[in-house]
Amino acid sequence: MPPTIETRPEQPYVSIRTQATLAEWGRVNALIGPVYGWLTERDITPAGPLFYRYHSVAGDVIDVEVGVPVPAPVAGDDTVAAGSKPPGQYAVLLHKGHPDRIRETFAALDEWSATSGVEFDVTDGVWAGRFESYLSDPAEVPDFADWETEVAYRVRH
């Protein structure tokens, strides 16, 4: 299926940003607990699913944020930063299955962009909005094969 184009509002979030290679991805996944712990300590209820925001890839190093949407803007600190998903139109495609296969969905979006002429909002290798949101709760869906992950790329206007 082709992606859908959705207009999305700005969405505040909190995150921890890092850089890692795929071989070091365990370090990225390890940031999930600290982000949720930070929210719990402040009694802030998430306003959406966990996401990874990809900023850029230089060589094999990925600049990524591990984040969680929040209902309203909050102040960050030395550990967790406050940010927001930029408003605009996004090409959205649902990935079904193990997260290790998500590159198949990235490739499908790239192919769709090439054939449709819709350009993603990328300037000098930096994405204005590239998000991977985990819709499945591992406590409720323990089998990775049944997971659903939303991939959303902001499109250029």
Side-chain angles (χ1 to χ4, degrees), residues 38 55 69 82 85 92 102 119 121 128 136 146 150:
W38 190 92
H55 289 278
K85 293 182 178 182
V92 180
I102 200 144
E119 294 181 31
D121 195 353
S136 299
D146 297 327
E150 178 194 84

Side-chain angles (χ1 to χ4, degrees), residues 66-114:
V66 175
V68 177
V70 293
V74 297
D77 61 20
D78 291 342
T79 304
V80 173
S84 64
K85 293 182 178 182
Q89 289 192 311
Y90 286 80
V92 180
L93 193 57
L94 189 63
H95 172 79
K96 294 185 179 185
H98 200 293
D100 285 352
R101 291 187 20 247
I102 200 144
R103 284 176 278 183
E104 297 168 12
T105 302
F106 297 163
L109 275 165
D110 290 341
E111 183 178 326
W112 171 81
S113 174

Side-chain angles (χ1 to χ4, degrees), residues 15-154:
S15 69
I16 299 175
R17 188 170 179 171
T18 192
Q19 294 182 346
T21 66
L22 288 177
E24 302 169 319
W25 208 250
R27 247 186 344 97
V28 175
N29 292 335
L31 298 175
I32 296 169
V35 172
Y36 277 109
W38 190 92
L39 289 169
T40 300
E41 288 171 4
R42 287 153 183 79
D43 201 27
I44 299 171
T45 302
L50 169 79
F51 65 84
Y52 289 174
R53 179 179 187 172
Y54 297 96
H55 289 278
S56 64
V57 179
D60 64 346
V61 177
I62 302 165
D63 183 356
V64 60
E65 284 179 85
V66 175
V68 177
V70 293
V74 297
D77 61 20
D78 291 342
T79 304
V80 173
S84 64
K85 293 182 178 182
Q89 289 192 311
Y90 286 80
V92 180
L93 193 57
L94 189 63
H95 172 79
K96 294 185 179 185
H98 200 293
D100 285 352
R101 291 187 20 247
I102 200 144
R103 284 176 278 183
E104 297 168 12
T105 302
F106 297 163
L109 275 165
D110 290 341
E111 183 178 326
W112 171 81
S113 174
T115 58
S116 70
V118 175
E119 294 181 31
F120 300 130
D121 195 353
V122 184
T123 303
D124 297 328
V126 178
W127 290 78
R130 179 177 173 168
F131 297 92
E132 182 179 304
S133 299
Y134 291 87
L135 306 180
S136 299
D137 180 344
E140 296 172 11
V141 186
D143 187 348
F144 284 126
D146 297 327
W147 276 27
E148 292 187 344
T149 307
E150 178 194 84
V151 178
Y153 294 177
R154 189 164 184 242

